[in-house]
Amino acid sequence: MSADGVGQSGANPKDPFALVRARGYPVLLVVAAVLGVPVSAAAFGYLALVSELQSLTYTDLPTALGFHGTPSWWPVPLLALAGLLVGLTIRYLPGGGGHKPAEGLVAKGPTPAVDLPGIVLASIASLVLGVVLGPEAPLIALGSGLAVGAVRLVKKDFPPDATAVVGVAGSFAAISALLGSPLIGAFLLMEASGLGGAMLGMVLVPGLLAAGVGSLIFTGLGSWTGLGTYSLALQQVPHTDRPDIAAFGWAIVVGVAAALVGTGIRRLALFLQARVERRRVVATVLAGTVVGVIALVYAEGTGNEASGVLYSGQSALNPLLKGYAGYSMGTLLVLVLCKALAYSVSLSSFRGGPIFPAMFVGAAGGLALAHLPGLDVTSGFAMGIGAMCVAMLKLPMTSVLLATLLLGTEGLTVMPLVIVAVVVSYVISLRLTPVPADVPADVSTGHP
């Protein structure tokens, strides 16, 4: 790319499409499409490795040791081990193991290549051994770092603007199929990074192109290997009627409840994070043990598997909705409490993404409320997901899409309810979020 290509803002800074019209932009599109192949393949391999190791540690290993099934106490030592591995990785490897999930999902530019080993090790140790976090944040960092590293190997003086675009395109490709649709991943990254104006126009097309290529690679590798695509999906969604007045009343209730629960989860996570960072290794081991004990208490108290509390909850959403009739309201409320506590502790100490546990907590809470008159299963499930996601992520558009596109045709029916629940939860959770010390009150609240 020449000096008047993508690396330069153009002669007319008032033209919002100057960057797209630059001579180097078509080359950038080709680069994004080509990089979508290896980046998405690496993301698929990462997810496949995590899935296989989860089965090995929680299913195959207990059987090999002579147990009939997985003992309910099994998560306690494994999660203590996860704390040791993650604590050592964060303390001694560059990059601190990647983004801190308790601080939300925030895109901070291309990931330095030197940070990638620590990010991968910390996230794999967390996800494989049962920590209540998801793979999306490590994948975003992995995709960004691999894409930028690849172009710098080929051309060391790659323009800074183009490098930033390539990094975002790599992240698009890495999570292209994870959330069920490339469009959801695109909205997630755009909202999380705050892209707008000319930069949005410049990044969006290469990102979508990389995401489309990545989704095809995910599908092809899933079919070729027989491992599946690791994409968020529901097989059977109960039919729901058009919303009525009672349903809109429930949307307000769900929004308020999700804002309160989500704020509690995040405040506890940030409170614990400050204390974990003082004694990183010892405190992370203790945090892992606490998560294991919470899972043990749930298993012994309800008679269900401890795995209901562990992991991100991504693969558990479909069984939860399908087996709704087998859960009493009390059991679902206990599940919400235990999952939320384990989620909060995991956010404070480990490495991973915050999206899928938020979806699961919201879904279980919505299903619990569906035992009450005036709220059907599908509406409660969808509103719970959307309202809890926005309470944790502060990304309203992504939260609506996650809750509705997941449900297929039924998602269109419940979308008005989801929007109301998301807006209510978003406004209340923002009001409940403490204002940073360096931000004036009138700027944050809009009031003089």
Side-chain angles (χ1 to χ4, degrees):
M1 295 186 184
S2 61
D4 57 348
V6 174
Q8 184 175 348
S9 60
N12 183 7
K14 296 181 179 179
D15 182 4
F17 299 104
L19 294 171
V20 179
R21 295 192 181 104
R23 289 200 301 265
Y25 195 70
V27 178
L28 188 60
L29 292 179
V30 174
V31 171
V34 171
L35 286 175
V37 177
V39 169
S40 58
F44 182 90
Y46 172 93
L47 294 172
L49 177 62
V50 168
S51 178
E52 291 300 314
L53 290 179
Q54 284 177 345
S55 298
L56 175 65
T57 54
Y58 274 89
T59 303
D60 298 340
L61 186 56
T63 301
L65 293 176
F67 293 102
H68 298 288
T70 303
S72 56
W73 52 264
W74 188 259
V76 178
L78 285 191
L79 281 159
L81 175 61
L84 177 63
L85 296 175
V86 173
L88 291 172
T89 300
I90 293 174
R91 182 171 180 179
Y92 293 109
L93 290 185
H99 124 284
K100 299 176 183 179
E103 297 176 4
L105 193 63
V106 180
K108 297 182 179 179
T111 305
V114 70
D115 293 351
L116 290 180
I119 291 172
V120 171
L121 289 175
S123 62
I124 286 180
S126 298
L127 303 180
V128 164
L129 296 175
V131 170
V132 188
L133 293 171
E136 64 281 358
L139 283 179
I140 290 171
L142 180 65
S144 169
L146 289 177
V148 172
V151 297
R152 285 179 175 167
L153 284 176
V154 176
K155 187 176 177 63
K156 292 184 179 180
D157 59 343
F158 208 70
D161 286 349
T163 299
V165 174
V166 167
V168 175
S171 296
F172 272 59
I175 63 167
S176 58
L178 182 65
L179 300 174
S181 166
L183 287 177
I184 299 179
F187 274 101
L188 170 69
L189 290 170
M190 287 187 294
E191 277 198 293
S193 60
L195 290 175
M199 192 61 181
L200 174 59
M202 183 181 178
V203 170
L204 182 58
V205 175
L208 286 176
L209 181 59
V213 172
S215 185
L216 290 174
I217 298 300
F218 262 79
T219 303
L221 288 174
S223 176
W224 178 60
T225 62
L227 296 174
T229 61
Y230 307 106
S231 178
L232 183 63
L234 298 177
Q235 275 74 51
Q236 296 179 345
V237 178
H239 175 71
T240 183
D241 295 325
R242 291 186 178 277
D244 54 18
I245 297 298
F248 278 100
W250 274 114
I252 297 174
V253 172
V254 171
V256 173
L260 295 175
V261 173
T263 300
I265 291 172
R266 193 166 185 183
R267 284 195 175 191
L268 177 59
L270 291 171
F271 173 83
L272 294 174
Q273 177 180 275
R275 284 143 185 83
V276 168
E277 289 176 346
R278 297 173 188 169
R279 299 285 301 275
R280 167 54 65 182
V281 177
V282 173
T284 309
V285 172
L286 179 60
T289 304
V290 169
V291 173
V293 170
I294 292 172
L296 170 62
V297 169
Y298 171 76
E300 293 295 322
T302 64
N304 295 322
E305 296 290 335
S307 59
V309 170
L310 303 177
Y311 304 119
S312 69
Q314 174 189 358
S315 60
L317 281 172
N318 189 64
L320 179 68
L321 180 60
K322 186 177 180 180
Y324 160 76
Y327 289 91
S328 67
M329 183 177 181
T331 299
L332 286 169
L333 290 176
V334 172
L335 176 59
V336 169
L337 175 62
C338 292
K339 188 81 171 185
L341 288 173
Y343 179 29
S344 186
V345 176
S346 298
L347 286 169
S348 72
S349 309
F350 292 91
R351 293 296 183 260
I355 296 177
F356 292 119
M359 294 180 69
F360 187 90
V361 171
L367 291 178
L369 293 178
H371 281 277
L372 300 175
L375 181 63
D376 64 85
V377 172
T378 301
S379 298
F381 185 85
M383 289 190 296
I385 290 176
M388 185 58 67
C389 281
V390 81
M392 295 302 300
L393 305 176
K394 306 299 187 291
L395 306 176
M397 181 64 75
T398 300
S399 300
V400 171
L401 292 176
L402 279 170
T404 54
L405 294 186
L406 177 63
L407 302 179
T409 57
E410 300 300 327
L412 296 176
T413 304
V414 300
M415 184 177 287
L417 299 176
V418 172
I419 291 173
V420 172
V422 165
V423 169
V424 171
S425 178
Y426 181 60
V427 172
I428 294 178
S429 61
L430 284 181
R431 289 284 183 177
L432 295 175
T433 300
V435 179
D438 57 344
V439 177
D442 59 331
V443 173
S444 62
T445 64
H447 294 294

